Amino acid sequence: MNQSQVMVVNTTKQRESGHKAQMSNIAAGKTVADVVRTCLGPRAMLKMLLDPMGGITLTNDGFAILRECEVAHPAAKSMIELSRTQDDEVGDGTTSVIILAGEMLAISAPFLERKIHPVIILRGFQKALEDAQVILRSIAKRVDTNDREQMLSLIKSAIGTKFVSRWNDLMCNLALTAVQTVVRRSDDSEFVSVDISALKPTGAAAVDAESTKPVAGGDAAASTTGSATDAAAPATTSVSAAVASVSAVVADASASSAPDVDVREVDIKRFVRIEKVPGGEIEESRVLDGVMVNKDVVHPKMRRYIENPRIILLDCPLEYKKGESQTNIEITREGDWSRVLEIEEEQIKAMCEKISALKPDLVITEKGVSDLAQHYLVKNNITALRRMRKTDNNRIARATGAKIVTSVDELKEQDVGTGCGLFSIEKIGDEYFTFLTKCKEPKACTILLRGPGKDTLNEIDRNLQDAMCVARNVLFNPYLCPGGGATEMALSVQLAQRAKSDIPGVEQWPYAGVAEALEVIPRTLIQNGGGNAMRTLTELRAKHANGLTTWGVDGEKGVPVDMNEYGIWEPLAVKLQTIKTAIDSASLLLRVDDIVSGTSKKQ
């Protein structure tokens, strides 16, 4: 008896199953990684992207490039989402995470070809990730976040690969000053006070001198601080000893992941505003000890220069309040019409009198200010700004100590801000800008960027965001790893050694595959720097096999160099996040064995 064929899945849709789907995902991941591969390191190439509206993006920032790319493959979209996650979490390492994830997928292909089940591959990946995190903490060293020189050198290494590297000192100072301005510590009753003009290291959170002194020579593995590093191998020991120490470190790893720091909040997005003003020279850029907004006074007779102003912030209109529904008034006498107009005037006058009672010099509102209100305010020698953005108003409130009030009836003396030292309005180019500077305790700030053109300023803005994120990460987790591919090389050598001795069965292959994939970072740095990849990687392996975990690649020349002397260090938080995200995303894509597209098959 012939049984009729039953169609369960719509056959008109595109569908890939099993091995074909896995290889398709791997190819998509490698393609995305190849797009940003040349954007890694100090010799990184720039990408020029044209958006549908005709605007140009000129950058070597991995996230900025992939954000502008339009991709159709779901796996490629997932890879692009990685760089967004990395950018949101730690703000740096967006290019590294894509290259590493692409390489993780690439090394999985031979295992799938040999019919090794994806679950076994993922188990090997997961074991490698756990051990990698322990090894990372064992080679990290603690940094004194109150030492301005140490912090500046750290930020320099973070933006040394960026477009702004030629103005390294200026940009590092801008980023560090901005972050230290908005930092909030757990032992403060209020926000921390920072003097911008003479920002010096304070002893408030001083760390033991032994734990903060720089690591010398090749002793990074032995001299690192924190409980996670006590069992790390000395520089002269062999890799086998270093690998043996890994199991001893596991117990204390959790202690070093959450170091004893007193930083509670560093909100860069809300309280650091980067104001880009085309024109002038890049050297004119500076951090203001207060807030700057693109606004002018509402009346020409209002004061434009006030020292120590009393500031009131409002979130209500200084206008006649109209009825919410349509209102019709029937007037039979001429006197009644005059009375209606008088009521409007009296209401606005009463508002202005309530404001004047507190004797402010400056009133800023998020809503409108009517002509009549302007007249009464000018009579009382009060300057007004209107239609202020909510975000700007919040920054002004935090910088000046004023409180935003939603109705003039609720105004009290404690709502008046007196923390600002100078209110002034200056003309830059064709625009008028309001400056609220010389704040006593500037808990919010504005970075004024000058430069030759919009594209240049946009790229400097992106680079500054990265620099500020690096400074923020280190304030929360004050541990550093050697840069220039040294960390990845140390992980690769120690994981490869451990794969041979400690990992049984088929899982040993994917575990060793992770070790091989980690070499992609130093290899890419060498290639982008014009060096000989094969020879340099062999030299690096030999150094790390002898326990010299601080040896990495000089990105300028593509040759091996000791990071203790070269001075390139990266935050532990960035490295941890990069490896976690890369391995987790590769694991996610390898678990996919069926892709059913929403689009129909091409005819």
Side-chain angles (χ1 to χ4, degrees):
M1 190 171 117
N2 292 332
Q3 191 171 353
S4 60
Q5 192 176 3
V6 179
M7 298 303 236
V8 179
V9 179
N10 188 347
T11 54
T12 62
K13 302 295 182 187
Q14 288 182 335
R15 186 181 179 195
E16 291 178 346
S17 303
H19 184 70
K20 190 180 176 186
Q22 290 164 342
M23 298 313 287
S24 170
N25 285 345
I26 289 171
K30 284 163 68 176
T31 306
V32 173
D34 287 340
V35 170
V36 294
R37 196 179 294 274
T38 56
C39 296
L40 189 72
R43 288 286 180 221
M45 308 298 281
L46 292 172
K47 306 282 184 194
M48 184 181 279
L49 304 161
L50 193 69
D51 65 27
M53 304 300 293
I56 292 173
T57 306
L58 195 67
T59 183
N60 68 347
D61 181 78
F63 174 54
I65 293 164
L66 296 174
R67 188 178 53 197
E68 297 292 333
C69 291
E70 289 184 23
V71 294
H73 199 285
K77 286 181 180 172
S78 171
M79 290 281 287
I80 290 172
E81 205 58 41
L82 287 190
S83 62
R84 188 190 304 278
T85 307
Q86 185 81 1
D87 198 59
D88 291 344
E89 285 295 317
V90 291
D92 195 23
T94 51
T95 309
S96 304
V97 75
I98 295 292
I99 294 173
L100 201 51
E103 194 68 14
M104 291 289 175
L105 288 171
I107 58 120
S108 308
F111 306 140
L112 293 171
E113 296 281 0
R114 293 174 197 162
K115 300 289 186 282
I116 297 176
H117 197 279
V119 171
I120 295 174
I121 299 174
L122 302 191
R123 214 179 292 146
F125 279 9
Q126 221 47 45
K127 279 186 182 174
L129 174 59
E130 288 164 16
D131 290 347
Q133 291 180 57
V134 175
I135 296 166
L136 265 177
R137 293 188 177 109
S138 74
I139 61 174
K141 72 166 185 177
R142 193 173 177 114
V143 62
D144 180 6
T145 54
N146 294 309
D147 185 340
R148 193 169 171 83
E149 286 306 313
Q150 278 192 43
M151 291 292 284
L152 283 174
S153 66
L154 166 68
I155 299 170
K156 266 183 200 169
S157 65
I159 64 171
T161 64
K162 309 285 184 187
F163 173 78
V164 294
S165 55
R166 68 192 82 170
W167 301 284
N168 240 342
D169 293 333
L170 171 67
M171 293 303 155
C172 293
N173 273 302
L174 291 182
L176 184 58
T177 305
V179 169
Q180 289 187 328
T181 301
V182 299
V183 72
R184 185 180 182 184
R185 298 183 185 275
S186 51
D187 58 353
D188 294 341
S189 56
E190 246 309 313
F191 296 96
V192 81
S193 172
V194 180
D195 179 10
I196 295 260
S197 56
L199 203 59
K200 294 281 190 288
T202 57
V207 188
D208 179 35
E210 284 298 313
S211 67
T212 57
K213 64 185 178 183
V215 182
D219 298 343
S223 306
T224 47
T225 59
S227 55
T229 60
D230 292 340
T236 53
T237 59
S238 65
V239 174
S240 54
V243 170
S245 72
V246 168
S247 54
V249 177
V250 174
D252 295 329
S254 57
S256 77
S257 62
D260 183 22
V261 289
D262 62 346
V263 175
R264 186 168 33 153
E265 178 194 79
V266 185
D267 199 336
I268 296 169
K269 284 189 177 175
R270 284 177 62 200
F271 298 118
V272 179
R273 165 91 176 160
I274 298 178
E275 199 73 52
K276 297 169 282 195
V277 185
E281 296 179 3
I282 291 173
E283 286 77 10
E284 293 172 25
S285 304
R286 65 187 192 276
V287 177
L288 303 173
D289 49 356
V291 181
M292 160 191 169
V293 286
N294 189 355
K295 291 281 175 192
D296 194 6
V297 292
V298 294
H299 193 283
K301 289 189 178 176
M302 287 177 174
R303 289 181 291 169
R304 290 164 178 260
Y305 186 92
I306 308 169
E307 291 183 353
N308 300 313
R310 287 168 58 80
I311 299 171
I312 287 178
L313 302 178
L314 299 173
D315 184 12
C316 61
L318 298 180
E319 297 170 325
Y320 174 66
K321 190 177 180 185
K322 299 177 178 67
E324 289 183 12
S325 57
Q326 188 177 350
T327 311
N328 294 325
I329 303 176
E330 205 169 294
I331 296 172
T332 53
R333 288 181 299 177
E334 190 182 341
D336 291 347
W337 173 246
S338 303
R339 181 65 193 135
V340 169
L341 296 177
E342 281 172 19
I343 289 170
E344 287 190 17
E345 289 183 18
E346 284 167 11
Q347 196 172 349
I348 291 172
K349 188 176 181 182
M351 279 184 189
C352 294
E353 281 173 352
K354 284 172 186 169
I355 291 171
S356 304
L358 293 169
K359 295 185 171 53
D361 299 301
L362 178 63
V363 173
I364 299 173
T365 179
E366 294 174 27
K367 305 292 194 298
V369 179
S370 69
D371 292 346
L372 191 61
Q374 290 175 30
H375 165 73
Y376 286 124
L377 291 173
V378 168
K379 274 178 71 176
N380 287 297
N381 203 20
I382 298 170
T383 299
L385 300 174
R386 66 181 168 194
R387 309 212 185 281
M388 187 67 66
R389 274 184 300 209
K390 185 77 179 171
T391 50
D392 287 335
N393 221 16
N394 286 336
R395 264 191 293 276
I396 293 168
R398 183 151 154 162
T400 62
K403 288 181 183 169
I404 299 172
V405 181
T406 53
S407 169
V408 290
D409 299 320
E410 299 168 6
L411 275 170
K412 302 186 202 68
E413 177 59 37
Q414 58 261 39
D415 297 329
V416 180
T418 55
C420 177
L422 178 66
F423 162 79
S424 61
I425 290 183
E426 295 176 23
K427 189 178 183 185
I428 304 176
D430 295 333
E431 303 273 342
Y432 285 97
F433 290 90
T434 297
F435 289 84
L436 293 157
T437 51
K438 298 185 181 174
C439 296
K440 294 167 191 164
E441 294 181 356
K443 303 147 195 171
C445 66
T446 301
I447 301 176
L448 173 58
L449 279 187
R450 305 302 309 278
K454 202 169 69 173
D455 292 331
T456 308
L457 286 175
N458 286 337
E459 180 64 359
I460 294 172
D461 179 6
R462 281 189 287 267
N463 298 163
L464 261 182
Q465 292 287 359
D466 284 359
M468 287 190 291
C469 286
V470 166
R472 181 194 65 192
N473 295 335
V474 175
L475 285 173
F476 280 121
N477 190 349
Y479 287 92
L480 304 183
C481 294
T487 302
E488 288 82 2
M489 206 67 216
L491 286 174
S492 175
V493 169
Q494 294 192 32
L495 287 176
Q497 185 75 16
R498 189 169 161 75
K500 292 174 189 172
S501 57
D502 297 359
I503 308 298
V506 184
E507 285 173 27
Q508 181 179 332
W509 289 3
Y511 188 100
V514 172
E516 186 186 327
L518 284 163
E519 287 188 356
V520 72
I521 301 293
R523 184 167 69 244
T524 306
L525 283 171
I526 297 162
Q527 288 167 348
N528 290 351
N532 185 325
M534 195 69 74
R535 183 179 300 162
T536 310
L537 275 177
T538 308
E539 285 180 41
L540 278 177
R541 281 195 205 101
K543 298 279 185 192
H544 284 267
N546 291 326
L548 302 174
T549 55
T550 58
W551 277 77
V553 179
D554 177 350
E556 299 278 343
K557 299 169 187 168
V559 295
V561 64
D562 187 352
M563 290 301 150
N564 282 320
E565 296 166 13
Y566 199 54
I568 301 291
W569 292 85
E570 296 181 44
L572 173 64
V574 174
K575 289 291 180 197
L576 281 171
Q577 185 68 32
T578 302
I579 289 168
K580 276 185 202 167
T581 311
I583 293 181
D584 286 348
S585 69
S587 303
L588 183 73
L589 290 176
L590 287 173
R591 290 178 74 113
V592 175
D593 71 342
D594 210 328
I595 303 170
V596 182
S597 175
T599 58
S600 298
K601 290 177 183 175
K602 289 180 183 176
Q603 297 298 325

